[in-house]
Amino acid sequence: MKMLLIHSDYLEYEVKDKALKKPEEISEEQKKGRLDEVLAAFISVEKVDEQNPEEVVEKAVKEIEDVAAQVKTKNIFVYPFAHLSSELGSPDVALKILKEIEEKLREKGYNVKRAPFGYYKAFKLSCKGHPLAELSRTIIPGEAKKEEEVPEALKKEEELVSYWYILTPEGELIEVDKFDFSGYENLKKFANYEISKSRVATEEPPHVKIMLEQELVDYEEGSDPGNLRYYPKGRLIKSLLENYVTEKVIEYGAMEVETPIMYDFEHPALEKYLNRFPARQYIVKSGDKKFFLRFAACFGQFLIKKDATISYRHLPLRMYELTRYSFRREKRGELSGLRRLRAFTMPDMHTVAKDLQQAMEEFKKQYKLSMEVLRGVGLTPEDYEVAIRFTEDFWNENRDFIVELARIIGKPVLIEMWKQRFFYFILKFEFNFVDNLDKAAALSTVQIDVENAQRFGITYYDENGEEKYPLILHCSPSGAIERVMYAILEKQAKLMKQGKKPMYPLWLSPIQVRVIPVSEKYLDYALYVAGKLEGAKIRVDVDDRNERLNKKIREAEKEWIPYIVVVGENEKRMGVITVRKREGGQYEMHIEDLIKEIKQKTEGFPYKPRPLPLLVSMRPRFRG
C-alpha cells in the first residue's frame, strides 16, 4: 500500500464519471463531500496487499493515527488514489481494505469521511504547508517481505522515533514546526523531505535530460537498473572528480589502500555489521559460500586495521579508498538518474581516534574539509543544507560543539535527535543537495563510530602500553562521485530556469576551448592555435565541419564550452585570436594571454587530456 498523508485546511471532492465498469454503489449525497481541518489520506491498494489484507489495514490505521496525533486533528478523509502505484490490487480487495480502514478509524473515535471508489473525481485541498503537512508511507505485509533479505537496521530504522529541530548559528534549538522558514525556503524543502522519509522518484529530475543531451551518462539496459554507462565526456568529468577528491584526502593526511569488493556473508564481524547498517545488499554465490558486494569501504579498511599494530603516537590514523564500485540494492522506484544508484563510486576515509575528544577534533576538521571539497566543484553552503544527527545525551553533553558546527556553516541546520542510540554512531552530519523536484541527496558526511573497533578487534596501545579500543570516524568528504555530478547538473538546471547560462567549473569542462575557423581556408591557423593550447595542457578541439559559422557557435554554446575562439583573416594576419567567453564578453587576445587566464582559473585542480578526437568531424554520436 502507498499512502500520501496531507494535513489540510480542507478537502472537498465531486464525482465526475465512472472510472471502473462496476464502481462502488453510492447515493446522490455521496457524489460530493468536504471536511475541514483534516488529515487527507490518499491511498493506493497494491497487489501485494492481497497476501494479508488484515495486516495492511492494521498498519495503515496505525500510521494514520500516528500522523493525526502529530498534527493534532481528529478529522480523517480516506481518499482512494490509484496514481500512487503502478501495481494496483484488484478492485474488490481494494474497496474492502478502504472500507475497513474507514470503519476502524471511526471505532477509534475519529470523524471519518471516505471518497467513493471507482470514480473519476475532481478535488480541491489546501495543504497547511508545515514540515509535517506532507508525508508518504509504504506498507508491505509481512509475508511479502520474505522475498528479500532486509538488514535488521532497515527494519529498525522504520520504527525509530526521531525528534526534529532547527538549530541556529546563535545556538537556539527550535522545534521544526515552530521555526520561521522565511528566507530559508530550501531548508524547509529539505526538512519536509527528511521527515516524510519518502525516497520514491515520481518524476525525472532535470539533470537526466542534461546528462543525456550532453552525452555524458546513459542508462544501460543490459545491466541491473541503477548501473550506468559513461560516454567519453562523462567519464572525463567523473575521473577528474575522483582524482580531485583523492588528492584532497591524501593532502589531508590519509594513506590510500585498496580492498576487495566482495566479502564473506558469514564472517562473524561482518555479519553483525550488516545488521547495523541500513542498506540492502547485492548477494552472490561462489560454490557453497554466500558473499555480499560491499556498500562502502568499511569492511576492507577495518580488516586492515585489525591486523595492524597501532600506537597512540600514530593517532589520528587515517586510511582512504576510492571504491569503484560500492553497491546498494536500492528500491527500483527510488532510482533516479545520478541521484540514487545501485552501483556508485564512494571516496571513503576511516580515521582511528584514541578518544572522544580527539574524534570530535577530527570531526570538525573533516567538516571543514568537506566544505572545501564541495567549494572546489562549484557548490557553496548556499547550495546545500546541513543535517546533524545525534542522541539526546550527546546533545546535553556537547551542546557547544554542535552549535559551533552551525556557526561554521553560517546558517540554520536541521537536527535529528534520538532518545537512545540505535546506529553504530553517536554523531553524524551530512551536506544535502535539494534538487529541482525538492528531493534531497546526501553529499559529504562524517560519523563518529563507537561500536566497530570492538566488533572487528581493532585496538591501539596507549602511553602505558595497554591495549585499548579506539573510536572510528567514517568520512566521505564529497559523497558519491555520481551524486556530485548530479548536484552540479541540478544546480545548472536551476540557473537555466532563472535565464542564466549553465556551465561546468572550468577545470571540469570536457572541452575548455573550441577553435572555429570562419572557413576551411583558415583551418591551418585554427590547428596552430589548438596546438599551442594543447601544449599548455588545455583541453581544446577544432570544429572543422563544413557548416555555417553561426551554427558552429550555437552548437558550442549548447555544449557549455567556456571559451569559443574564432579565427579568420584578421586573426591569422595579426597573430591573435577572437575569444567569446561563456561568462560574458568577446575579446581579441594573444594566445599566451588566454593560456595564462585558463591556467590561473584551473590552478590546483587535476588535469586530464581531451576525451574526444581533436577534430569535431571525427566524432561519433553516442545517442540518437
Side-chain angles (χ1 to χ4, degrees):
M1 174 181 289
K2 295 285 193 303
M3 287 200 300
L4 181 62
L5 302 168
I6 301 181
H7 188 206
S8 306
D9 296 314
Y10 68 88
L11 169 62
E12 63 180 37
Y13 74 87
E14 181 181 357
V15 169
K16 293 295 184 181
D17 202 354
K18 291 181 181 179
L20 297 174
K21 286 185 179 179
K22 291 185 177 180
E24 175 185 9
E25 290 186 14
I26 58 173
S27 65
E28 196 65 32
E29 185 183 351
Q30 288 175 289
K31 289 183 179 180
K32 289 183 180 182
R34 176 181 171 120
L35 208 52
D36 295 320
E37 296 300 323
V38 64
L39 177 64
F42 291 88
I43 298 175
S44 281
V45 178
E46 298 182 293
K47 196 167 188 62
V48 69
D49 300 333
E50 296 174 9
Q51 295 182 26
N52 196 336
E54 294 79 12
E55 181 188 357
V56 171
V57 169
E58 184 181 333
K59 288 183 175 180
V61 169
K62 183 179 183 304
E63 290 285 358
I64 293 169
E65 277 195 289
D66 287 348
V67 176
Q70 290 182 69
V71 300
K72 300 178 177 61
T73 185
K74 297 295 286 185
N75 297 331
I76 310 290
F77 212 129
V78 177
Y79 200 103
F81 201 65
H83 309 291
L84 294 176
S85 176
S86 58
E87 298 179 357
L88 296 173
S90 68
D92 290 345
V93 174
L95 180 56
K96 183 173 183 290
I97 287 174
L98 291 165
K99 282 182 173 179
E100 287 185 13
I101 290 172
E102 176 190 13
E103 184 181 332
K104 286 189 179 294
L105 286 168
R106 192 167 282 124
E107 287 172 1
K108 290 175 178 285
Y110 291 93
N111 177 29
V112 187
K113 266 192 181 295
R114 181 175 59 79
F117 180 82
Y119 294 89
Y120 294 116
K121 300 176 287 290
F123 71 86
K124 293 180 184 177
L125 86 164
S126 174
C127 177
K128 294 279 190 183
H130 57 75
L132 294 172
E134 301 171 62
L135 303 172
S136 64
R137 296 288 185 266
T138 298
I139 294 168
I140 304 173
E143 292 154 11
K145 290 184 179 178
K146 293 175 186 174
E147 297 173 5
E148 177 185 17
E149 292 190 51
V150 179
E152 198 63 32
L154 270 177
K155 298 174 188 174
K156 291 288 185 185
E157 191 177 34
E158 293 178 4
E159 301 169 10
L160 205 61
V161 177
S162 298
Y163 297 87
W164 299 94
Y165 303 90
I166 301 297
L167 176 64
T168 71
E170 294 74 37
E172 192 177 1
L173 191 69
I174 304 166
E175 290 179 28
V176 74
D177 57 347
K178 295 177 182 174
F179 181 74
D180 181 3
F181 284 96
S182 301
Y184 301 105
E185 285 72 19
N186 217 42
L187 178 59
K188 181 178 181 180
K189 292 175 183 178
F190 174 52
N192 288 340
Y193 178 80
E194 284 295 297
I195 294 169
S196 75
K197 295 189 182 295
S198 173
R199 306 298 183 249
V200 176
T202 55
E203 293 180 59
E204 191 172 77
H207 82 272
V208 173
K209 182 180 179 184
I210 295 171
M211 78 184 197
L212 297 175
E213 285 181 347
Q214 296 266 334
E215 292 193 333
L216 304 178
V217 190
D218 207 342
Y219 298 111
E220 178 51 78
E221 292 181 4
S223 183
D224 192 35
N227 291 256
L228 304 179
R229 63 164 72 163
Y230 288 79
Y231 299 125
K233 290 194 294 182
R235 178 63 200 132
L236 175 98
I237 292 173
K238 186 167 182 278
S239 179
L240 284 170
L241 287 167
E242 292 167 354
N243 289 359
Y244 168 67
V245 179
T246 298
E247 287 173 11
K248 282 290 185 185
V249 175
I250 291 173
E251 181 184 299
Y252 178 70
M255 300 175 286
E256 188 172 13
V257 297
E258 183 175 330
T259 61
I261 68 165
M262 75 171 67
Y263 291 88
D264 185 350
F265 213 93
E266 296 174 2
H267 184 290
L270 298 179
E271 186 177 25
K272 289 175 186 174
Y273 184 49
L274 287 177
N275 280 324
R276 303 293 278 146
F277 197 96
R280 292 172 172 80
Q281 291 89 41
Y282 273 100
I283 297 169
V284 296
K285 285 189 176 180
S286 178
D288 295 331
K289 296 208 73 173
K290 189 164 69 168
F291 296 82
F292 66 91
L293 300 183
R294 68 180 177 195
F295 45 79
C298 307
F299 326 113
Q301 291 187 28
F302 289 169
L303 294 173
I304 290 176
K305 289 179 172 73
K306 171 187 176 295
D307 294 335
T309 302
I310 304 172
S311 163
Y312 72 94
R313 295 187 184 90
H314 303 142
L315 305 183
L317 186 149
R318 308 173 185 105
M319 197 173 286
Y320 168 79
E321 181 177 4
L322 180 78
T323 65
R324 190 188 307 126
Y325 286 92
S326 289
F327 300 88
R328 297 184 190 178
R329 207 170 175 283
E330 305 284 15
K331 293 180 181 177
R332 185 161 185 158
E334 296 177 352
L335 302 176
S336 180
L338 290 161
R339 182 173 74 89
R340 192 172 285 268
L341 298 168
R342 288 179 172 174
F344 54 93
T345 306
M346 179 68 80
D348 221 343
M349 174 170 66
H350 292 86
T351 304
V352 175
K354 66 179 181 179
D355 54 28
L356 184 57
Q357 182 182 348
Q358 189 177 71
M360 288 167 64
E361 288 170 3
E362 271 296 298
F363 188 96
K364 186 164 67 174
K365 289 177 184 176
Q366 293 176 12
Y367 184 84
K368 292 177 179 177
L369 171 67
S370 299
M371 292 175 66
E372 182 185 343
V373 167
L374 292 188
R375 193 174 288 111
V377 302
L379 299 172
T380 66
E382 290 73 36
D383 296 315
Y384 53 84
E385 300 302 330
V386 183
I388 307 177
R389 309 174 197 272
F390 44 76
T391 62
E392 188 174 36
D393 286 345
F394 190 89
W395 167 253
N396 291 334
E397 294 165 15
N398 302 281
R399 181 186 180 113
D400 290 346
F401 179 79
I402 301 296
V403 172
E404 188 177 358
L405 298 177
R407 195 176 297 125
I408 289 169
I409 205 73
K411 63 179 185 178
V413 303
L414 179 67
I415 297 296
E416 182 177 15
M417 191 185 297
W418 304 294
K419 290 289 184 185
Q420 57 188 14
R421 180 175 65 83
F422 167 73
F423 299 107
Y424 55 84
F425 55 83
I426 55 171
L427 173 65
K428 176 183 183 182
F429 88 80
E430 303 136 22
F431 294 156
N432 295 266
F433 185 86
V434 181
D435 64 22
N436 291 273
L437 300 181
D438 298 342
K439 297 285 186 181
L443 299 172
S444 316
T445 182
V446 179
Q447 308 162 8
I448 297 180
D449 177 347
V450 296
E451 288 186 6
N452 283 302
Q454 191 164 353
R455 179 174 291 120
F456 282 82
I458 300 166
T459 61
Y460 75 97
Y461 291 94
D462 70 7
E463 294 90 334
N464 301 315
E466 294 181 14
E467 202 170 5
K468 292 190 173 178
Y469 293 114
L471 300 181
I472 300 173
L473 285 87
H474 302 236
C475 171
S476 183
S478 63
I481 297 296
E482 295 82 357
R483 200 168 270 181
V484 174
M485 294 176 68
Y486 140 85
I488 291 169
L489 296 180
E490 284 286 327
K491 178 178 178 178
Q492 298 314 308
K494 287 183 181 182
L495 293 175
M496 289 164 73
K497 279 185 180 178
Q498 298 166 15
K500 298 176 183 176
K501 283 187 176 181
M503 61 182 75
Y504 304 105
L506 181 57
W507 68 277
L508 280 177
S509 293
I511 301 297
Q512 295 166 319
V513 181
R514 174 159 295 168
V515 185
I516 304 177
V518 297
S519 71
E520 188 179 356
K521 182 179 174 183
Y522 303 104
L523 179 58
D524 58 340
Y525 185 60
L527 291 170
Y528 166 77
V529 171
K532 294 279 282 186
L533 293 167
E534 193 162 48
K537 292 193 172 179
I538 291 169
R539 288 186 294 276
V540 58
D541 63 13
V542 176
D543 193 341
D544 62 323
R545 296 172 302 158
N546 185 24
E547 300 282 1
R548 289 178 292 107
L549 177 63
N550 285 344
K551 182 179 179 181
K552 291 181 180 182
I553 291 172
R554 278 199 308 274
E555 290 188 8
E557 291 275 0
K558 283 182 182 178
E559 289 186 53
W560 303 3
I561 291 175
Y563 295 93
I564 301 171
V565 171
V566 178
V567 295
E569 176 60 36
N570 182 60
E571 287 80 11
K572 184 175 182 179
R573 178 169 49 81
M574 300 286 291
V576 296
I577 51 177
T578 299
V579 182
R580 295 167 62 109
K581 298 183 183 181
R582 187 160 183 79
E583 59 192 20
Q586 180 169 308
Y587 308 88
E588 191 175 273
M589 305 174 71
H590 289 287
I591 300 171
E592 291 73 20
D593 292 332
L594 179 58
I595 291 171
K596 184 179 178 182
E597 180 175 321
I598 293 173
K599 285 299 190 183
Q600 285 176 341
K601 290 182 176 181
T602 57
E603 186 178 0
F605 294 100
Y607 164 80
K608 278 185 169 287
R610 179 187 61 250
L612 293 161
L614 172 66
L615 300 178
V616 174
S617 66
M618 298 300 291
R619 295 179 189 173
R621 288 181 62 185
F622 292 99
R623 298 195 80 254

